[in-house]
């Protein structure tokens, strides 16, 4: 590699962003469109790194495929990366292929936008039983994540989903929805076949607080009612409202909309079609999980299978929080999905807040063990603030982080070798099969062609006659890399 003594003041500022999901792409876009860059105060050269061969992060591997808004978000991210002023380098893992030392040698600043991909812990007895699953793992499976097994044990007729957020509703909807309805999405074939053969009849979603404290959105709620041959079941005893609930309903239109929707479903439940549906989605409130029940327990090596779940009924305390009511109830289920939130993972050579699952930072400036900003190192998105809020909220995160980077730009530790070709030489020297934006366009076209071929065959091999599939997602990492690099 060649070396350079240039400083960021007389050459483009070299910035690496680790993570090509919405948070990383928004950060890159905001930086390129900043007034300082537009006014010609300085130039910027951005490389966007992604651990997977394809871009889009959470949008590709963390959101249910039947979300109507996905396509719009993907289109917006595509437009940013397709401009050509941000270089995409996929299939490159921080900590495996590149170290912090590598980044600091080749870039003036590094922004970590690695998100949060593992399940938050649920510390109750029985969580280790066979048939107890993390919701995030299930999401990764049905979204065709390249690093998870292709098979999923869909053997239960009755299933419990713990959580009252958007992920819990996604998990429940994917479990209870008839697979043929998902053929119009980019669902991988192995996922379609497994869901098609699922024996499920009842999915129960449990929340610890009341209907006015749910964490999902009206859009998520409405999507539940769009599933064919699925009845939504609610329970009058779960509809409890305290002073805080009444205030929330009065002052928050979103909460008012959701409570009204749930109330209408409760009233309409017994006046619908005489012919019951083949599947039911039960929404329970005021239930706090205390134990996952099992059978055939032998020892630690053979913990047994899920046979049920026990809850303590709760009651609202006047502030919108819930307290135990001392009444316990068991539900017979053969599988339990924990969807109580995501948790960020530690990153090598950076401090980590294990309780919150974030990189310690102040407004996006990453901090060291003593609480001092680490020059040139930043964070944005869920690894910065925790896995809360909608995808759009990451724009505000990125704006704050980029604001501080711009503030610091004249005092950043300069890269020893800022030549844009240096990172390519390093990756090739280490044998990293990196992918590019041009490679993604090839993979994108391939997935669209798979959908067109399937549709032309009109659902051969057990599919549904006449269904038009826009695309079919490629799952194996090796195949994604081969198509992208050919």
């Amino acid at each position: 590699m060649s070396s350079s003594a240039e400083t960021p003041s007389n050459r483009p500022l070299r910035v690496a962003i680790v993570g090509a999901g919405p948070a990383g792409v928004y950060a890159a876009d905001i930086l390129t469109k900043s007034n300082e860059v537009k006014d010609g105060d300085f130039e910027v050269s951005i490389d966007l790194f992604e651990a997977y061969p394809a871009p889009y992060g959470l949008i590709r591997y963390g959101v249910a495929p039947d979300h109507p808004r996905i396509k719009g978000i993907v289109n917006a991210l595509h437009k940013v990366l397709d401009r050509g002023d941000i270089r995409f380098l996929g299939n490159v893992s921080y900590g495996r292929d590149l170290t912090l030392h590598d980044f600091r040698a080749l870039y003036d600043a590094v922004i970590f936008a690695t998100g949060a991909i593992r399940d938050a812990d649920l510390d109750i007895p029985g969580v280790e039983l066979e048939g107890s699953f993390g919701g995030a793992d299930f999401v990764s499976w049905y979204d065709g994540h390249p690093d998870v097994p292709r098979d999923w044990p869909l053997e239960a007729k009755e299933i419990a989903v713990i959580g009252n957020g958007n992920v819990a509703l996604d998990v429940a909807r994917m479990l209870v929805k008839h697979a043929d309805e998902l053929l119009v999405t980019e669902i991988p074939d192995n996922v379609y076949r497994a869901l098609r053969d699922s024996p499920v009849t009842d999915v129960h979603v449990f929340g610890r607080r009341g209907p006015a404290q749910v964490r999902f959105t009206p859009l998520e709620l409405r999507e539940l009612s769009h599933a064919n041959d699925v009845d939504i079941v609610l329970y009058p005893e779960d509809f409890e409202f305290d002073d805080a609930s009444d205030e929330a309903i009065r002052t928050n239109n979103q909460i008012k909309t959701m409570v009204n929707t749930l109330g209408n479903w409760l009233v309409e439940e017994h006046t619908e079609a005489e012919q019951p549906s083949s599947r039911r989605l039960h929404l329970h409130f005021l239930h706090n999980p205390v134990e996952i029940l099992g059978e055939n327990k032998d020892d630690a090596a053979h913990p047994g299978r899920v046979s049920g779940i026990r809850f303590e009924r709760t009651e609202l305390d006047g502030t919108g929080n819930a307290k135990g009511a001392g009444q316990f109830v068991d539900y017979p289920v053969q599988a339990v999905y924990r969807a109580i939130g995501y948790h960020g993972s530690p990153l090598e050579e950076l401090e980590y807040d294990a309780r919150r699952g974030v990189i310690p930072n102040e407004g996006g400036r990453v901090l060291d063990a003593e609480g001092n900003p680490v020059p040139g190192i930043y964070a944005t998105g869920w690894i910065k603030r925790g896995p809360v809020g909608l995808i759009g909220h990451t724009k505000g995160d990125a704006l704050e982080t980029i604001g501080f980077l711009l503030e610091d730009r004249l005092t950043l530790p300069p890269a020893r070798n800022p030549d844009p070709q240096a990172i390519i030489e390093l990756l090739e020297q280490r044998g990293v099969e990196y992918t590019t934006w041009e490679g993604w366009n090839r993979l994108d076209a391939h997935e669209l062609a798979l959908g067109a071929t399937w549709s032309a065959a009109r659902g051969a091999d057990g599919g549904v006659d006449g269904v038009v599939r826009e695309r079919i997602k490629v799952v194996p990492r090796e195949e994604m890399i081969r198509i992208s690099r050919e």
Side-chain angles (χ1 to χ4, degrees):
M1 296 183 196
S2 62
S3 61
S4 172
E6 289 183 311
T7 62
S9 60
N10 54 21
R11 60 165 171 78
L13 186 77
R14 290 284 287 147
V15 178
I17 300 177
V18 183
V25 176
Y26 290 152
D29 189 40
I30 289 169
L31 180 54
T32 59
K33 291 179 177 176
S34 65
N35 289 332
E36 291 85 344
V37 172
K38 286 194 299 183
D39 293 345
D41 292 353
F42 75 103
E43 294 179 63
V44 66
S45 170
I46 301 174
D47 286 341
L48 185 65
F49 293 87
E50 174 56 56
Y52 310 126
Y56 306 144
L58 175 71
I59 297 298
R60 185 171 169 95
Y61 294 123
V63 181
D66 59 345
H67 267 306
R69 291 187 301 170
I70 290 180
K71 196 173 295 184
I73 297 172
V74 166
N75 289 341
L77 299 179
H78 179 95
K79 286 179 182 177
V80 173
L81 295 179
D82 204 43
R83 294 195 311 246
D85 57 347
I86 299 163
R87 184 167 60 174
F88 171 76
L89 294 170
N91 198 42
V92 180
S93 290
Y94 174 75
R96 183 193 70 190
D97 301 317
L98 294 174
T99 66
L100 189 61
H101 175 79
D102 296 325
F103 279 116
R104 305 203 81 155
L106 303 178
Y107 298 90
D108 305 303
V110 186
I111 303 172
F112 287 92
T114 51
I117 59 173
R118 72 176 182 86
D119 285 287
D121 294 330
L122 179 65
D123 188 18
I124 61 173
V127 75
E128 76 290 345
L129 290 168
E130 185 180 343
S132 170
F133 304 107
D137 293 335
F138 183 59
V139 171
S140 292
W141 173 76
Y142 67 59
D143 271 334
H145 193 295
D147 299 333
V148 302
R150 304 287 184 268
D151 301 318
W152 191 271
L154 290 168
E155 301 160 352
K157 289 187 175 182
E158 300 158 302
I159 300 171
V161 178
I162 302 172
N164 254 179
N166 286 341
V167 176
L169 287 200
D170 278 354
V171 167
R173 193 177 66 255
M174 290 294 291
L175 285 166
V176 80
K177 201 170 188 176
H178 291 280
D180 288 350
E181 290 187 64
L182 296 167
L183 282 172
V184 295
T185 73
E186 62 182 22
I187 185 173
D189 280 337
N190 65 299
V191 176
Y192 164 69
R193 290 191 296 269
L195 291 173
R196 180 191 62 191
D197 297 337
S198 169
V200 66
T201 59
D202 293 82
V203 175
H204 300 261
V205 181
F206 295 94
R208 187 173 57 85
R209 297 189 291 171
Q213 286 79 40
V214 294
R215 302 298 296 273
F216 41 77
T217 60
L219 176 67
E220 291 279 349
L221 195 58
R222 284 194 298 271
E223 285 178 13
L224 292 184
S225 63
H226 296 161
N228 295 323
D229 192 32
V230 176
D231 288 336
I232 297 176
V233 183
L234 297 111
Y235 300 86
E237 63 269 24
D238 289 348
F239 280 72
E240 177 183 309
F241 303 94
D242 60 0
D243 291 343
S245 302
D246 293 337
E247 176 69 11
I249 295 168
R250 187 180 65 80
T251 59
N252 187 308
N253 285 332
Q254 178 168 298
I255 293 174
K256 180 180 179 180
T257 298
M258 289 190 291
V259 169
N260 286 343
T261 299
L262 291 166
N264 289 337
W265 287 352
L266 183 64
V267 171
E268 295 166 1
E269 192 177 315
H270 303 292
T271 62
E272 297 202 351
E274 296 178 6
Q275 183 65 34
S277 298
S278 66
R279 293 178 175 179
R280 290 160 294 281
L281 178 60
H282 307 255
L283 299 180
H284 303 268
F285 305 102
L286 304 173
H287 282 70
N288 185 45
V290 294
E291 183 178 2
I292 299 174
L293 308 175
E295 59 186 8
N296 302 325
K297 292 184 180 181
D298 293 327
D299 51 41
H302 301 90
R305 293 188 55 85
V306 170
S307 62
I309 185 167
R310 177 168 297 158
F311 292 89
E312 181 180 13
R313 291 304 308 260
T314 62
E315 56 189 19
L316 299 177
D317 65 1
T319 69
N321 290 314
K323 61 182 180 180
Q327 174 191 353
F328 295 86
V329 57
D330 294 352
Y331 292 86
V333 296
Q334 299 83 51
V336 174
Y337 288 75
R338 310 178 302 277
I340 58 172
Y342 286 100
H343 203 73
S345 301
L347 294 168
E348 289 187 18
E349 301 180 74
L350 298 176
E351 290 299 310
Y352 177 66
D353 182 337
R355 183 182 63 82
R356 296 180 57 218
V358 299
I359 300 172
N361 68 92
E362 284 184 357
R365 286 182 174 124
V366 170
L367 305 177
D368 63 18
E370 284 73 45
N372 302 311
V374 182
I377 308 297
Y378 302 86
T380 191
W382 280 2
I383 199 63
K384 167 188 172 184
R385 63 181 168 88
V388 292
L390 302 176
I391 290 170
H393 292 162
T394 56
K395 287 185 179 179
D397 273 343
L399 195 61
E400 180 182 52
T401 296
I402 296 301
F404 282 124
L405 188 155
L406 291 170
E407 229 178 77
D408 301 340
R409 72 180 188 277
L410 297 179
T411 58
L412 293 171
R416 292 194 298 277
N417 188 353
D419 182 353
Q421 185 61 23
I423 183 64
I424 301 300
E425 293 174 1
L426 180 61
L427 292 173
E428 290 178 347
Q429 176 187 321
R430 292 180 178 174
V432 179
E433 294 184 297
Y434 64 89
T435 60
T436 63
W437 181 246
E438 293 74 19
W440 160 246
N441 283 330
R442 284 192 287 272
L443 179 58
D444 184 36
H446 179 82
E447 292 185 344
L448 291 169
L450 289 176
T453 300
W454 192 99
S455 301
R458 299 185 66 80
D461 189 29
V464 178
D465 187 46
V467 171
V468 175
R469 301 188 70 179
E470 183 177 344
R471 71 189 300 133
I472 299 175
K473 187 181 289 184
V474 173
V475 179
R477 181 184 284 264
E478 306 76 27
E479 187 177 352
M480 294 172 68
I481 295 169
R482 178 185 60 77
I483 295 166
S484 299
R485 289 174 60 90
E486 65 185 8

